[in-house]
Structure formats: structure tokens, C-alpha cells
Amino acid sequence: MYEPTVARLTYRALLGRRRAAVLFVLPALLIAIAVAVRLLTGADDQIASDVLGGFAIATMIPLIGVIAGTGAIGPEIDDGSIVYLLAKPVKRPTIIFTKLIVAIAVTMAFSAIPTFVAGMILNGNGGQIAIAYTVAALVASVAYSAIFLLLGTVTRHAVVFGLVYALVWETLFGSLVPGARTLSVQQWALSLAERIGANGAITSDVALPTAVVLLVAVTAAATWYAGQKLRTLTLAGEE
């Protein structure tokens, strides 16, 4: 299910100069904010939780997921180079699974590591906050990568739809509308962070069992459907 050649090409596309520069901006901003907050306020568990939850989980990770998830396949579909890949003797689900693994790895690297570093800067992992949010970042990276890879497969406007989802649904509706929080990757990830962090340090509106089920279901469904759409794209190209 994993094709090294496809993975190498996908890594090269995602970590090219322009896209890599964009990927570095948000983590660098998070670290800069963490340093500034620590210098101004000192170590404070609540402030650390607010910064990591409000910026890292709510904004940085979804945006990195958009870049990595859509970038893993969207540009190839847009410029038509996907035809050359589909002509190879590689199963379509293998292509999708490989690209998903690459997107997850890139999203984790550019989100979980900076989140942990920022947490250590903010309060030295007091209340297990740095570890909790790092785990949340890792889990969210998987779901976001699957969702945005699917978007990259089904529409040429994947980045636009991804940004709308990340900034409008997750950040705006997920924060203001109680019912929408149940269908928020952010809240599912925070449910795991809540279990790890000190009592009361992190809160989520979704129960842990529900969050785990939804994370697995959405990731699996998005990956499966992306594979099906790639099959359809192949047939359309051959016709």
C-alpha cells in the first residue's frame, strides 16, 4: 500500500522552495508568540493553554493541513501531470494512501514539533500542557490530511474550500456555535488533550469515545472516497 517512488515525488512537491517557505511561516510565528508571551507574563498554565489552543490547534494546524493535504495531489491534477502517474502499474488506492502518509508526515512535522517547543517555552510542560497539545496536534494532523487530500482529489478549488473549512468552520463556527463543535476536528483533538492535561487545563465539547470514533471514521472515509474519485478520474482520462 506504500509506493516509495510516489512518496519521493510527493515529498519533493510539498517541500519545494515556495511551499516549504509558507510551511515555515506559521510555526515560526507560533514560536515567536510563545517567546514574547513568556517574556511578558512568565510561566502560566492558563496562558499557555490559551496560546496553544487558540493559535496552534485552532489556526496553525488546519492551515498547514490545507497546504500539505491539497498540495499532495491537487497541483498534479491541475497541471495534468497526474496522467503520467496513473499510467504507472501502481494501484490507485496505493497512490492515495502513499500521498496521505506523506501529507500526514509533513503536517505533523510542521505542527506537532513547533507546538511542543512552544509549550515548553510557555510553561515548561506544566500541567502536561505541552504534551497534551502535541498529542492533539498529531491526531489532528491525520484527520486534516485525509480531509484536505480528499478535497484535492475532488475539486480544482481545493485550497479555497480548505481555507473556508479551516478558517470559517473550524475557527469561527467551531468556536461560536455549540452544535458545530461536535463536527470539528479541533474539538476531537482537544478531547484527547483534555484527557492528558491537568484537570481543568484543557476542555473539549466532545466526549473522548465519540471523538476517537469520529476521528477514525472521517479519516477512513475520506481516504476511501479519495481512492474512488481517483479511479473515476482515471476512467475519464482514458475515455
Side-chain angles (χ1 to χ4, degrees):
M1 290 297 290
Y2 182 83
E3 174 54 49
T5 301
V6 174
R8 184 173 63 255
L9 294 173
T10 306
Y11 274 118
R12 185 180 301 172
L14 286 179
L15 300 177
R17 291 183 179 180
R18 293 182 180 179
R19 189 167 280 111
V22 176
L23 286 170
F24 273 108
V25 169
L26 289 171
L29 181 57
L30 173 63
I31 300 300
I33 291 173
V35 171
V37 170
R38 179 60 185 267
L39 291 175
L40 292 172
T41 65
D44 185 285
D45 291 355
Q46 186 57 54
I47 292 178
S49 182
D50 291 342
V51 171
L52 295 178
F55 184 78
I57 300 298
T59 303
M60 183 185 76
I61 299 173
L63 292 178
I64 291 176
V66 170
I67 297 170
T70 61
I73 196 170
E76 291 177 296
I77 294 177
D78 291 342
D79 62 20
S81 61
I82 189 70
V83 174
Y84 299 100
L85 180 59
L86 297 178
K88 303 297 182 181
V90 181
K91 295 181 180 179
R92 306 316 180 238
T94 298
I95 293 174
I96 289 296
F97 183 77
T98 301
K99 287 182 173 293
L100 175 62
I101 294 299
V102 173
I104 289 172
V106 171
T107 305
M108 285 182 172
F110 283 91
S111 60
I113 296 174
T115 297
F116 177 74
V117 173
M120 295 301 293
I121 292 172
L122 286 164
N123 75 334
N125 196 38
Q128 293 293 305
I129 288 176
I131 294 296
Y133 278 107
T134 300
V135 171
L138 292 171
V139 170
S141 294
V142 176
Y144 282 132
S145 295
I147 292 170
F148 297 132
L149 179 65
L150 172 61
L151 284 178
T153 306
V154 301
T155 176
R156 292 180 179 272
H157 306 290
V159 173
V160 175
F161 286 111
L163 290 174
V164 169
Y165 176 86
L167 297 178
V168 177
W169 181 264
E170 288 281 10
T171 303
L172 184 59
F173 284 94
S175 300
L176 301 178
V177 183
R181 297 171 187 168
T182 305
L183 300 177
S184 168
V185 174
Q186 174 187 337
Q187 292 297 322
W188 304 342
L190 287 175
S191 179
L192 292 170
E194 181 181 23
R195 179 62 62 91
I196 297 171
N199 187 33
I202 304 169
T203 59
S204 172
D205 294 325
V206 181
L208 182 58
T210 302
V212 172
V213 170
L214 289 173
L215 281 166
V216 173
V218 167
T219 301
T223 304
W224 174 82
Y225 192 60
Q228 296 304 305
K229 292 301 293 183
L230 198 60
R231 290 176 185 273
T232 303
L233 179 65
T234 305
L235 294 174
E238 291 172 350
E239 293 175 354

